[in-house]
Amino acid sequence: MAFDDISQLGPVEIGPPPRTKFGRWARVRQVDLSKLPPVKTYECLRTSDSITIDGRLDEPVWKRAKWSEPFAMIHDGSRTPLDTRVAFLWDDQYLFAAYRVEDTDIRASMIGFNDHVYFNDEDVELFFEATATTMS
């Protein structure tokens, strides 16, 4: 069965590579999307300032960014015990994302490819859905 548009597949679960000479695999899994919370949207400001990718967020450009409200737990939407926020900026070439994570005790136990880190460790993740737009 061929698909002209990958969105026809529905939700896709990506798994670890099988123990064969072939590449990665994917299979469609039916998921009840009605129980998910609404997708968050964030304001992303344009900047002409140069941004140094160094993990430091004390530069004036990040002070002007619009920071999100505190993140929530992935499984039930409840408040997290520590404050975590994200901000975005963009310029003519790049989209920049920065996290502020209050946690000072960062460690992880999941080390394998495609381990379900969000079940066992603390993590923050970004997921993007790109859409084509024209700018005038």
Side-chain angles (χ1 to χ4, degrees):
M1 180 182 221
F3 291 95
D4 296 327
D5 179 3
I6 195 166
S7 67
Q8 295 172 331
L9 292 173
V12 175
E13 178 183 278
I14 302 296
R19 297 185 187 278
T20 69
K21 63 182 179 180
F22 302 107
R24 290 177 55 102
W25 57 274
R27 64 186 159 126
V28 175
R29 185 175 70 154
Q30 296 304 316
V31 176
D32 183 3
L33 302 178
S34 68
K35 295 180 181 175
L36 294 175
V39 174
K40 302 272 187 193
T41 58
Y42 301 107
E43 187 172 358
C44 180
L45 300 179
R46 186 178 190 284
T47 184
S48 58
D49 295 354
S50 64
I51 297 178
T52 302
I53 309 298
D54 59 4
R56 297 179 54 115
L57 302 177
D58 56 358
E59 299 158 324
V61 67
W62 288 113
K63 292 184 186 333
R64 292 190 302 272
K66 302 282 186 176
W67 288 88
S68 70
E69 71 278 356
F71 277 25
M73 300 300 285
I74 192 171
H75 61 280
D76 65 4
S78 65
R79 299 264 328 214
T80 58
L82 301 170
D83 190 33
T84 301
R85 298 168 188 258
V86 68
F88 299 97
L89 294 168
W90 68 278
D91 66 13
D92 290 337
Q93 288 187 296
Y94 303 106
L95 171 67
F96 301 93
Y99 285 112
R100 284 188 183 153
V101 181
E102 189 177 70
D103 198 342
T104 58
D105 183 26
I106 300 172
R107 59 181 111 180
S109 62
M110 308 308 291
I111 58 172
F113 173 77
N114 204 32
D115 279 346
H116 294 283
V117 65
Y118 48 87
F119 287 128
N120 300 298
D121 291 330
E122 300 166 342
D123 79 318
V124 290
E125 299 178 86
L126 292 174
F127 300 93
F128 293 92
E129 180 180 5
T131 57
T133 60
T134 58
M135 294 174 41
S136 48

